[in-house]
Amino acid sequence: MDRDEELLRGRVYGQDHDDPRPGPRPGRVYAELVGGPLDGLLLDVTDRTPEQRTAGAALETELGRFGAGGRSLYDPRPGDPSRLDWSGDTP
C-alpha cells in the first residue's frame, strides 16, 4: 500500500466521529499524528503557513494526561513534514 492510499484510510482530527465522511477530503493536505493520545489521526494543514507548520501544533484532547481542557503537543518530524511527532501534554 502506498502512502496516499494509507492516508485515505485515516480519520481526521477535529471531525465528528459521527461524520458520514470521517476521512480526508480531496484537495486538502494532511500530516499524520504519530504517538501520544492522537496517534494515527490526520491533521489538516492545508491552510497553515510554512511558519505555522514548522511550529507544530497544540491540539485539544480529553485523551491526554490532563483530561478535558488539556492539549497534546506535536512537533514536525525533521525531514518529513507529513508527520508530526508527539512531544507531551500540557494543561
Side-chain angles (χ1 to χ4, degrees), residues 9-91:
R9 294 172 186 249
R11 286 193 39 222
V12 177
Y13 169 82
Q15 282 186 335
D16 223 17
H17 48 323
D18 293 341
D19 190 324
R21 292 183 54 204
R25 291 185 166 68
R28 307 295 294 177
V29 177
Y30 298 91
E32 180 182 3
L33 302 174
V34 180
L38 302 175
D39 184 50
L41 292 180
L42 302 174
L43 179 65
D44 188 339
V45 296
T46 306
D47 298 326
R48 292 179 181 225
T49 65
E51 293 80 20
Q52 289 171 322
R53 289 186 191 187
T54 60
L59 305 171
E60 290 182 20
T61 182
E62 296 179 3
L63 303 174
R65 178 177 171 203
F66 297 97
R71 295 176 184 271
S72 286
L73 307 173
Y74 286 85
D75 297 320
R77 182 177 289 180
D80 188 356
S82 68
R83 289 194 163 91
L84 297 173
D85 293 314
W86 178 68
S87 60
D89 294 321
T90 188

